[in-house]
Amino acid sequence: MFAEERYRQISSLVTTDGRVTVAGLSSRFGITKETVRRDLALLETDGVLRRVHGGAIAGSGATTTESSLTSRSSRHADEKKRIAHAALSLVPDSGAVVLDAGSTTGALAELLVQEARQDLSVITHSVPIAAMISGAGLSVDLVGGRVRALTSAAVGSSTVAHYARLRADVAFLGVNGLGADFGLSTPDVDEAAVKTAIVHSGRRVALLTHSSKFDEETLVSFAHLEDIDVLITDQAPRGPLVDALFDAGVEVIVA
């Protein structure tokens, strides 16, 4: 079992039962107690649960649970690199692109640094991405605002207003949930407002997301499927989602 699936099952158990124990999880998943403790520590950082002696109890609700950038960066690293490589083909040799805050867009930023695209301007509200791009001596426009500690991304009215004035060649977007009916969603209201502005800032909008986000609904819907042009992911969508993407005219690229 992949670690991400284990995290999901632990989260579900905590939500259903209200409490889990280290010994019980160790036996259930066939892993060491130390591994269980590391899992619980990570999920506590993400706000899913609260650790107590011998286990953990329920934390915040699933629709508002949001992983930190640090924890997300360590998950599905290989798949995210594949997604980023596929997204690279959409990046123009010159012009301007928007990079949303996130671990997968961060992987794309790393590739842009490696290629040293001198004629390309990168626009982002992500502090780590801006630091990476500028540190390589490339052109970057850091969109300001109040920086959220959890995501290291600027949010607020000034951030939204800045994006509203832009029309980039391509906007690369991240997401917390992708559903056939609810569309694209994220747990935070302020992040949602910025993401909506990013969607409208690109002549072409590309969604970069791991398949674990499929059929998930978090608190705030910030865009419809019709608002995106391309979905780049690691596995083909299934069920109602694939039909909804087809009806919306979204091109799906499996990396």
Side-chain angles (χ1 to χ4, degrees):
M1 177 183 296
F2 291 110
E4 183 73 19
E5 177 59 26
R6 192 169 68 243
Y7 300 150
R8 287 180 176 277
Q9 291 195 25
I10 293 174
S11 300
S12 178
L13 287 169
V14 171
T15 301
T16 302
D17 301 336
R19 181 185 180 96
V20 292
T21 65
V22 171
L25 293 175
S26 175
S27 175
R28 182 186 184 95
F29 296 112
I31 56 178
T32 66
K33 292 181 179 180
E34 184 58 35
T35 298
V36 172
R37 293 188 183 96
R38 285 198 297 268
D39 288 354
L40 296 181
L42 179 62
L43 291 170
E44 182 178 48
T45 300
D46 291 346
V48 175
L49 49 76
R50 181 162 60 89
R51 285 184 294 168
V52 296
H53 180 70
I57 59 177
S60 59
T63 59
T64 56
T65 297
E66 186 174 7
S67 302
S68 66
L69 180 62
T70 300
S71 66
R72 281 185 284 130
S73 297
S74 64
R75 299 180 187 178
H76 307 302
D78 291 340
E79 292 95 329
K80 290 175 181 178
K81 287 178 181 177
R82 296 205 312 268
I83 293 170
H85 273 287
L88 194 61
S89 64
L90 303 182
V91 179
D93 292 330
S94 61
V97 298
V98 170
L99 293 188
D100 188 11
S103 54
T104 310
T105 49
L108 176 56
E110 291 180 5
L111 294 179
L112 295 179
V113 166
Q114 292 173 16
E115 293 204 346
R117 299 204 178 187
Q118 298 293 338
D119 297 326
L120 182 70
S121 178
V122 175
I123 305 161
T124 186
H125 63 294
S126 166
V127 175
I129 289 177
M132 185 190 310
I133 299 293
S134 63
L138 305 179
S139 175
V140 61
D141 178 5
L142 175 59
V143 180
R146 174 179 61 85
V147 177
R148 293 186 71 218
L150 192 66
T151 59
S152 297
V155 296
S157 59
S158 61
T159 314
V160 172
H162 190 125
Y163 277 124
R165 297 192 297 269
L166 302 180
R167 189 66 74 237
D169 294 290
V170 188
F172 293 96
L173 189 69
V175 72
N176 296 81
L178 181 65
D181 298 320
F182 202 56
L184 288 68
S185 61
T186 193
D188 184 78
V189 173
D190 291 332
E191 293 270 9
V194 174
K195 287 179 179 291
T196 297
I198 289 176
V199 167
H200 295 301
S201 74
R203 299 180 187 277
R204 194 178 191 195
V205 180
L207 176 62
L208 314 183
T209 185
H210 188 268
S211 56
S212 61
K213 308 296 178 62
F214 292 170
D215 303 314
E216 293 290 326
E217 295 180 357
T218 55
L219 185 62
V220 188
S221 174
F222 63 85
H224 302 293
L225 297 181
E226 291 82 359
D227 294 323
I228 61 175
D229 299 293
V230 185
L231 166 64
I232 306 178
T233 185
D234 62 300
Q235 291 185 26
R238 299 179 180 178
L241 179 58
V242 70
D243 294 331
L245 288 166
F246 179 81
D247 291 341
V250 179
E251 178 187 1
V252 178
I253 298 175
V254 179

